[in-house]
Amino acid sequence: MPELNTSPKTARRIRSRVLLGTALAAVIVGGVAGEAVLGNRTPAYADAVRIQAPAVIPDFADLVDKVKPAVVSVRVKADIADASDEDSGNGFPNPGQFPPGSPMERFFKQFQDQQNGQGGQNGPNRWKNSPSHKAVGLGSGFFISEDGYVVTNNHVVDGSTDFTVTDAAGKEYTARLIGKDPKTDLALLKVDDSSQKFTFVEFAPGEVRVGQWVVAVGNPFGLGGTVTAGIVSALGRDIGSSSYDDFIQIDASVNKGNSGGPTFNMNGQVIGINTAIYSPSGGSVGIAFDIPAATAQRVIADLKEHGEVVRGWLGVQIQPVTKDIADSLKLADAKGALVAEPQDGSPATLAGIKSGDAILTVDGKKIDDARNLSQVIGGYAPGATVKLGIWRDGKDQTVEVKLGKMPVEQKVAAAQEDVKPSSVADLGLALSASPDDKGVVVSDVDPNGAAAEQGIQAGDIILAVGGSEVSRPGDVEREVVDAKKAGMKAVLIRIKSGDQTRFVALPFGKA
């Protein structure tokens, strides 16, 4: 090894790094070194947590031999317009599939821009001169039955008509699409080949634990049969892709093309399906997201039976119950889902659910937040009758609702603007009458006031204050005064921004 010429300062820094590495190695090597370090602590320190047996990095070879034959590469072909709209051609979603401004949208867009700038074989523009005008996308998947059912991601197959599955031995099979579910980003393919029984894997029962070892197998960058390992980093992640987000986060290396591939526990059971990565570069930085096995099992069963996912539908716009909103409603805890607007003709409207109701339970099961309510209601079949525990006018009530079938598209109405401003100083608002007397228009917002802090903007429509509908600026001022007299810390406002209706709790004295 060549000798390095270093300054005294650099040499000291290198020695300190070597010493630190040596100390860490001493702790890792075995129980004796660890005991010596802990034993020398003075009584002034609390005892550290002690692990009796030293951690051992497992050998994954037997596990991989067992599961690898069930994992496949998925190749799809689509018209160029379809591919560019829904998929980036690299096995991960297009930025447009995520909410505008979300971290996932920004990172996928950045990656796509980088690919476009590079040109060549990796950029989506490579298909523009193709005589067939077909784009090819690559992803991953896995067999879940010996008769050829294959699970993958919706964004891998969406917009495509030709599906080819390649097994670990390199043999190709033509597959057909059974069904897909954009809300959970899952899809089910079928290979029809009665001449053989396919090696398949099962979904893991029970709970996943943070810290447990996992192995991901897939087709990153078209390199089929690639195996990576890591641990479960976190549970219940919401990345803003849909109201059904409940992702497992892992740190096994996952890259473009891993989408739809399985993540295994040490028993060779699938704990999740690789779906998205969080990365400024488009490559793995140790943050990947998996659809949990429990979610996948329910969705795949529906796709297999119906070709689509049949979910119960309540028909309400909902939002989380924040601490300020809970105080405004005189709720003890900031739990449940607040109904911002029941939709016309929906099961909720027919059952008498109103704006301002806080849904706290469904059939006795506590609801943590708005996302949790969507997941629970979606788990029921259309036509099922559920008992909603709601908080209305400071009291617990129970309402029975017969759920409908979730429509493909949901429509809501809009509103517009202005005339003579009036002010509500404590809220940091200037108000105007609405031309149609439906609500009160926000004509201006104090940038340092409580309203601005809650995201209220000029042009928004105030529909109700403190549970009472308003049609003039004076109505808003009256309700604010009444709330102050009642000793409330904040006033609850129902507000419309574009097509969306929501509740905002505005605290007093912050203007």
Side-chain angles (χ1 to χ4, degrees), residues 90-103:
N90 54 45
F92 277 119
N94 212 39
Q97 287 185 263
F98 296 103
S102 70

Side-chain angles (χ1 to χ4, degrees), residues 12 135 154 179 187 211 259 275 287 373 394 442 462 491 510:
R12 285 196 300 273
N154 170 69
S259 274
T275 297
I287 300 178
L373 177 64
V442 176
I462 296 175
V491 63
K510 290 192 175 182

Side-chain angles (χ1 to χ4, degrees), residues 332-496:
D333 299 311
K335 296 280 187 181
L338 186 66
V339 177
E341 188 83 38
Q343 297 173 12
D344 291 340
S346 69
T349 299
L350 296 176
I353 297 294
K354 301 177 180 179
S355 295
D357 288 345
I359 300 175
L360 305 181
T361 63
V362 176
D363 284 341
K365 180 179 179 180
K366 291 184 178 180
I367 299 300
D368 294 327
D369 52 32
R371 181 167 60 110
N372 184 212
L373 177 64
S374 296
Q375 293 167 347
V376 171
I377 293 297
Y380 285 89
T385 298
V386 297
K387 292 183 178 180
L388 302 182
I390 67 171
W391 181 262
R392 177 188 292 171
D393 299 329
K395 295 182 293 186
D396 284 308
Q397 298 186 33
T398 301
V399 178
E400 284 195 354
V401 182
K402 184 178 181 180
L403 300 176
K405 180 181 178 182
M406 181 176 288
V408 177
E409 293 183 5
Q410 299 170 2
K411 297 180 181 178
V412 281
Q416 281 305 350
E417 32 217 286
D418 87 71
V419 205
K420 286 184 180 177
S422 161
S423 66
V424 183
D426 276 352
L427 303 180
L429 291 172
L431 307 176
S432 301
S434 173
D436 57 8
D437 292 327
K438 293 182 179 178
V440 177
V441 177
V442 176
S443 56
D444 197 11
V445 179
D446 179 355
N448 300 314
E453 289 180 7
Q454 296 298 324
I456 296 176
Q457 299 178 355
D460 289 349
I461 309 292
I462 296 175
L463 301 176
V465 180
S468 300
E469 292 187 358
V470 295
S471 58
R472 297 171 303 164
D475 296 339
V476 177
E477 293 177 342
R478 183 187 65 249
E479 294 299 329
V480 170
V481 170
D482 289 347
K484 284 182 178 180
K485 288 180 179 178
M488 304 294 288
K489 297 178 181 178
V491 63
L492 193 64
I493 292 179
R494 184 157 63 98
I495 195 161
K496 194 166 193 174

Side-chain angles (χ1 to χ4, degrees), residues 19-31:
L19 288 172
L20 176 59
T22 305
L24 289 175
V27 174
I28 293 169
V29 164

Side-chain angles (χ1 to χ4, degrees), residues 208-263:
V208 175
R209 298 181 63 197
V210 173
Q212 75 178 74
W213 284 104
V214 291
V215 173
V217 186
N219 182 39
F221 304 107
L223 301 172
T226 296
V227 179
T228 55
I231 62 169
V232 174
S233 304
L235 302 174
R237 290 299 197 206
D238 179 357
I239 64 173
S241 62
S242 85
S243 57
Y244 296 93
D245 281 10
D246 187 25
F247 289 98
I248 299 169
Q249 181 184 327
I250 64 172
D251 72 347
S253 182
V254 171
N255 288 284
K256 301 173 294 296
N258 270 114
S259 274
T263 294

